[in-house]
Amino acid sequence: MKKNNEIEMSFLAQPTDVNYFGSVHGGNVMKWIDEAAYALAVQHTHKYCVTKYVDGIEFINPISIGDLVHLHARVLQKGTTSIRMHVTVCSENLVSNRRLENCACDIVFVAVDKQGNKQKIQD
Ligand SMILES: CC(C)(COP(=O)(O)OP(=O)(O)OC[C@H]1O[C@@H](n2cnc3c(N)ncnc32)[C@H](O)[C@@H]1OP(=O)(O)O)[C@@H](O)C(=O)NCCC(=O)NCCS
């Protein structure tokens, strides 16, 4: 079966993603990171996976509404039941082409069965 080691997602930052200061809410960025890592973890292991651990997240630059947001996730390491990935978030102003690094972190998912018990990741 296909085993991708990386995944990319791109979409426009929506007016509904805004925080009280007019840029994208940090909680939305964390949700996108979780979604990108989930997609890669499941695509890579072909098993359901849940978030186990997120390493320190730093918000480097704000994302503006209307920016094209790019998430990139790649596999760093596979354990017996876990998969560690690195996720980066960049935003692109479509008028000026200016691209900013917004956020990066490592994130660990664990493969689980239908009862939510961890299960081995097979090669
Ligand atoms: C995922 C879950 C089934 C794992 O069960 P567990 O008994 O706690 O698992 P373990 O402590 O044995 O760890 C499982 C794997 O995660 C890794 N892991 C655990 N804690 C970790 C941490 N803080 N950092 C990095 N990896 C970690 C372990 O090294 C192990 O990896 P390996 O099997 O590849 O060697 C359980 O913790 C759970 O259900 N958590 C809630 C998940 C959830 O709801 N997530 C959604 C967000 S709230």
Side-chain angles (χ1 to χ4, degrees):
M1 258 194 284
K2 195 174 152 196
K3 253 190 200 325
N4 287 346
N5 286 319
E6 54 189 324
I7 199 168
E8 283 202 36
M9 289 169 32
S10 297
F11 46 84
L12 289 171
Q14 300 289 328
T16 46
D17 297 324
V18 76
N19 66 16
Y20 302 108
F21 298 99
S23 53
V24 169
H25 202 283
N28 285 351
V29 179
M30 291 192 273
K31 180 170 173 280
W32 297 336
I33 289 171
D34 195 51
E35 288 172 350
Y38 169 80
L40 179 59
V42 175
Q43 195 178 54
H44 187 88
T45 63
H46 296 289
K47 295 185 187 300
Y48 292 111
C49 293
V50 291
T51 318
K52 180 64 181 174
Y53 176 76
V54 184
D55 217 346
I57 291 184
E58 182 186 357
F59 296 99
I60 304 156
N61 287 296
I63 302 173
S64 300
I65 303 311
D67 283 356
L68 189 60
V69 181
H70 303 277
L71 282 104
H72 178 260
R74 69 184 159 90
V75 175
L76 291 178
Q77 194 184 331
K78 270 193 329 180
T80 307
T81 64
S82 69
I83 177 166
R84 187 180 192 92
M85 294 158 285
H86 184 68
V87 184
T88 58
V89 185
C90 295
S91 60
E92 182 184 348
N93 180 306
L94 294 172
V95 177
S96 67
N97 283 337
R98 187 162 171 245
R99 204 170 162 124
L100 290 175
E101 182 188 8
N102 307 112
C103 198
C105 71
D106 287 0
I107 184 165
V108 176
F109 272 68
V110 173
V112 291
D113 61 19
K114 284 186 176 153
Q115 284 71 44
N117 301 312
K118 64 188 171 190
Q119 60 170 327
K120 283 190 178 176
I121 296 169
Q122 284 139 22
D123 275 323

